[in-house]
Amino acid sequence: MNKFKFQSGTKVFCGSNCLFENKNEIIKLGKKAFIVTGKASGHKSGALSDIINILNEAEIKFEIFDKIENNPSLHNVKDGGTSCRMSGADFIIGIGGGSPLDAAKAIAILAVNDIEPIQLLKNEFTIKPLPIAAIPTTAGTGSEVTAASILTIPEYETKMSFVHEDVFPKVAFLDAKYTESMKRDIAVNTAIDAMSHAIEGYLNRTASPMSDIFALESLNIFGTCLENLCEERFDYDTREKLLYASMLAGLTIAQTGTTIAHGMGYSLTYFKDIPHGKANGLLLPEYLRYNYQVAQDRVESVLKALKLISIDEFEKTMRRLISNDINFSQEELKKYSSLAMKQKSTLKNLRTVTEEDMYKILDKSLRS
């Protein structure tokens, strides 16, 4: 057996009413909470009011920072870190999709370390971050079980991540009721993002027998949900499956990281405001074709897990879920290719990639 490492620092509770049934896990984290969320997700999902009830009942003070942007920037998390430090909070509760949960990790560090946010990218901090509890309201990022935080870096014209074991959330609560407020497009886009995590974690140079277990189980569950996603049947059972599959995919990339699909997709989000999951979905068919030449067995295992017979059928399924209505020039795609080559995740792709390869994938995906 190949040598490998497996690490997950998060205690996970899944199921209906798991937050209230395990509220002591929140209470024991500290004496004052700093709640990190977006303008809408925490409120609409009901998760914010539930956590407030728990904190009030336990007489734990709290402050709410509901200013997290979609694709949070360094400036955004700096503001959050300053507010958290001034609040005197000793633990953080992240509520929302990937943006609030990723931001919570950065804020947990900046609240106790007097550093500029750009230093996060090099893990240049000395004081352990504040403990984090995570409550996802989308079934997409799996951030509740990873040690990664993805932030927008305007100076670099892209998104970049930092990874540190100390920002694994201490505890996460996965209750599908908190995903019921998602609109159709958000539900679809976040599901595709999570599926992309499982695929990229499986088609990854650092994949291990352990990470493969989580990746394939995640993809098997997605395979049972694809038709419901296409037909917009968002019943509670489907939402519960998607949330669980997203968590499994998060456990996968917590070990492996992602590959070129994410690296290329970041530019679509940064420059064209295409939602992250949708950006990945537009690229995944050509991504699979590209890797098929060196990893036929693995690509076919992905398709089998998804209950699909070919990459062509996979592409048809993606096109039922999302469509590309934006025009791209050759110059734009060349720039995106160059930026993607600078992503650390590019080195993890199973097939060694060149900038020309990247351009061809983008061109076939977006201009065909």
Side-chain angles (χ1 to χ4, degrees), residues 178-206:
Y178 297 136
T179 72
E180 290 183 319
S181 60
M182 284 192 298
K183 295 181 180 179
R184 183 267 178 196
D185 284 353
I186 295 175
V188 167
N189 292 336
T190 53
I192 293 173
D193 183 25
M195 183 177 65
S196 181
H197 291 160
I199 292 173
E200 292 178 67
Y202 190 66
L203 302 179
N204 196 299
R205 290 180 185 270
T206 61

Side-chain angles (χ1 to χ4, degrees), residues 50-350:
D50 282 354
I51 203 68
I52 288 174
N53 288 337
I54 289 171
L55 295 174
N56 282 335
E57 180 185 333
E59 298 183 344
I60 294 176
K61 296 180 180 179
F62 62 88
E63 289 192 20
I64 299 172
F65 186 81
D66 58 359
K67 302 175 184 177
I68 300 302
E69 308 160 340
N70 286 328
N71 308 302
S73 64
L74 294 181
H75 180 75
N76 191 205
V77 296
K78 182 176 183 178
D79 284 347
T82 300
S83 296
C84 185
R85 188 183 311 116
M86 293 176 64
S87 77
D90 54 3
F91 72 102
I92 288 177
I93 302 172
I95 302 174
S99 292
L101 298 188
D102 283 5
K105 296 171 186 177
I107 290 169
I109 296 171
L110 296 172
V112 291
N113 288 273
D114 186 17
I115 60 173
E116 288 300 314
I118 194 70
Q119 293 173 257
L120 292 170
L121 301 180
K122 296 181 179 179
N123 289 320
E124 293 179 347
F125 63 91
T126 56
I127 302 173
K128 278 186 172 290
L130 298 180
I132 303 166
I135 307 173
T137 63
T138 66
T141 70
S143 184
E144 69 273 9
V145 291
T146 78
S149 173
I150 300 172
L151 302 171
T152 298
I153 320 293
E155 299 94 319
Y156 300 161
E157 295 186 305
T158 189
K159 296 164 73 176
M160 300 186 78
S161 65
F162 72 88
V163 181
H164 196 283
E165 63 184 36
D166 286 342
V167 297
F168 271 112
K170 299 300 182 186
V171 61
F173 302 92
L174 278 67
D175 189 333
K177 74 178 181 181
Y178 297 136
T179 72
E180 290 183 319
S181 60
M182 284 192 298
K183 295 181 180 179
R184 183 267 178 196
D185 284 353
I186 295 175
V188 167
N189 292 336
T190 53
I192 293 173
D193 183 25
M195 183 177 65
S196 181
H197 291 160
I199 292 173
E200 292 178 67
Y202 190 66
L203 302 179
N204 196 299
R205 290 180 185 270
T206 61
S208 70
M210 195 79 168
S211 66
D212 286 352
I213 291 171
F214 292 107
L216 290 175
E217 178 63 9
S218 178
L219 291 170
N220 270 302
I221 296 169
F222 278 119
T224 68
C225 297
L226 281 177
E227 189 59 30
N228 279 359
L229 281 171
C230 289
E231 296 296 328
E232 300 183 29
R233 294 193 293 264
F234 299 109
D235 55 86
Y236 187 82
D237 180 62
T238 298
R239 290 182 183 277
E240 208 164 40
K241 287 179 178 178
L242 290 172
L243 187 60
Y244 179 53
S246 171
M247 186 268 290
L248 292 173
L251 286 171
T252 302
I253 60 169
Q255 317 310 317
T256 65
T258 55
T259 61
I260 59 173
H262 265 65
M264 291 185 292
Y266 290 153
S267 286
L268 306 191
T269 299
Y270 184 85
F271 291 104
K272 298 292 189 177
D273 202 29
I274 297 174
H276 173 59
K278 179 177 178 178
N280 292 347
L282 292 172
L283 302 171
L284 282 175
E286 290 302 326
Y287 166 81
L288 290 177
R289 292 188 178 103
Y290 179 77
N291 285 292
Y292 190 82
Q293 295 185 33
V294 299
Q296 178 177 341
D297 289 347
R298 287 206 154 233
V299 172
E300 289 179 351
S301 292
V302 167
L303 297 171
K304 182 179 179 181
L306 291 171
K307 286 80 176 168
L308 302 172
I309 61 173
S310 66
I311 297 175
D312 287 345
E313 187 181 10
F314 177 88
E315 183 171 33
K316 289 177 182 177
T317 302
M318 287 296 100
R319 297 302 173 255
R320 290 176 66 189
L321 293 169
I322 55 175
S323 60
N324 177 31
D325 54 2
I326 297 177
N327 294 320
F328 296 87
S329 68
Q330 288 183 326
E331 290 71 24
E332 286 175 318
L333 299 189
K334 287 178 181 177
K335 181 174 184 176
Y336 302 167
S337 304
S338 176
L339 289 170
M341 287 298 295
K342 298 175 183 178
Q343 294 285 345
K344 290 180 287 187
S345 59
T346 295
L347 298 174
K348 295 185 176 183
N349 202 68
L350 275 182

Side-chain angles (χ1 to χ4, degrees), residues 2-35:
N2 294 332
K3 292 182 179 180
F4 68 90
K5 180 186 78 171
F6 178 86
Q7 183 176 17
S8 179
T10 306
K11 182 187 292 187
V12 178
F13 293 94
C14 293
S16 177
N17 211 37
C18 64
L19 178 59
F20 284 101
E21 290 176 357
N22 301 283
K23 59 187 177 183
N24 284 340
E25 297 289 336
I26 293 283
I27 294 169
K28 69 184 184 183
L29 286 178
K31 297 181 179 180
K32 184 172 184 179
F34 189 74
I35 301 173

